[in-house]
Amino acid sequence: NIANQNLEIFQKNKVARLVVLKDTSELYFALGDGTGWGTSVSGGTVPKNEWVHVAATRDSDDNATIYINGVEIASITNSSSGSSTDPMVLGRYSSATTNHFNGKIAEFSIFNRDLGSDEIINLANGMKLRGNENGLAGYWPLDEASGTIAYDKSAFSNDGTMSGTTWTTSDLNITTIYT
């Protein structure tokens, strides 16, 4: 179990959780079966005060891996898997009023297929998604700059409701590199 002061990047209740541990700046990825947390993998150090690309994957063989700036940091075999009807939450733990991510998130995407290491490296190097990539289940470029809606640019249009968000202009260079 991890302490309550961690910085939540993403959380889907009892299914998947991606966190930066407050005390160590370590990246932590937990997976569950929908009723409880099961396996987790952690490692590396997420640098402070600079743009960082983080990725967490669970492949079709139930191997979970975390990446920082396109580099594989740690992995675990036979990870937990499950589902939940609870909403996905970006930037905080779903049921908490604390543990908010104290930083900037430029974009967020979810794929329902295995991503190759070359794809993760391309994303870490600033590849901008089109919204119609194979297996893209959700893509929120978070480029609205105002309002309370985060538009999903994937084919599924799972728009999100923003709460407690401050929009800023990103100085991150996400370029159009189509593969």
Side-chain angles (χ1 to χ4, degrees):
N1 196 4
I2 59 176
N4 288 334
Q5 308 103 299
N6 298 301
L7 307 173
E8 301 283 338
I9 298 172
F10 160 78
Q11 200 266 132
K12 175 88 170 156
N13 197 26
K14 306 287 192 286
V15 174
R17 183 179 188 194
L18 186 60
V19 178
V20 177
L21 299 178
K22 183 178 182 182
D23 293 335
T24 62
S25 295
E26 189 174 39
L27 189 61
Y28 174 90
F29 183 42
L31 294 160
D33 62 6
T35 61
W37 295 111
T39 55
S40 65
V41 60
S42 61
T45 300
V46 177
K48 295 179 181 178
N49 302 314
E50 63 182 76
W51 283 109
V52 177
H53 180 269
V54 297
T57 64
R58 186 181 61 82
D59 67 21
S60 56
D61 294 323
D62 288 333
N63 300 309
T65 306
I66 55 175
Y67 301 81
I68 297 176
N69 290 328
V71 177
E72 182 178 326
I73 300 300
S75 64
I76 188 170
T77 58
N78 299 319
S79 64
S80 300
S81 64
S83 63
S84 170
T85 58
D86 291 339
M88 176 185 77
V89 178
L90 184 62
R92 73 172 172 88
Y93 192 74
S94 65
S95 60
T97 57
T98 61
N99 296 1
H100 295 111
F101 184 76
N102 185 17
K104 297 177 183 179
I105 300 174
E107 64 177 16
F108 187 78
S109 60
I110 297 176
F111 285 82
N112 63 9
R113 65 170 179 86
D114 298 354
L115 290 181
S117 60
D118 58 331
E119 293 174 293
I120 291 173
I121 290 168
N122 284 339
L123 290 168
N125 287 332
M127 182 182 83
K128 185 169 182 68
L129 300 173
R130 292 176 292 227
N132 63 352
E133 286 77 9
N134 176 36
L136 186 64
Y139 174 48
W140 299 267
L142 304 175
D143 57 2
E144 289 80 7
S146 66
T148 59
I149 304 295
Y151 293 100
D152 177 7
K153 304 285 175 74
S154 77
F156 299 99
S157 299
N158 289 311
D159 299 337
T161 302
M162 306 297 284
S163 174
T165 302
T166 302
W167 292 104
T168 62
T169 302
S170 172
D171 59 353
L172 180 61
N173 184 22
I174 301 175
T175 57
T176 304
I177 306 171
Y178 298 127
T179 58

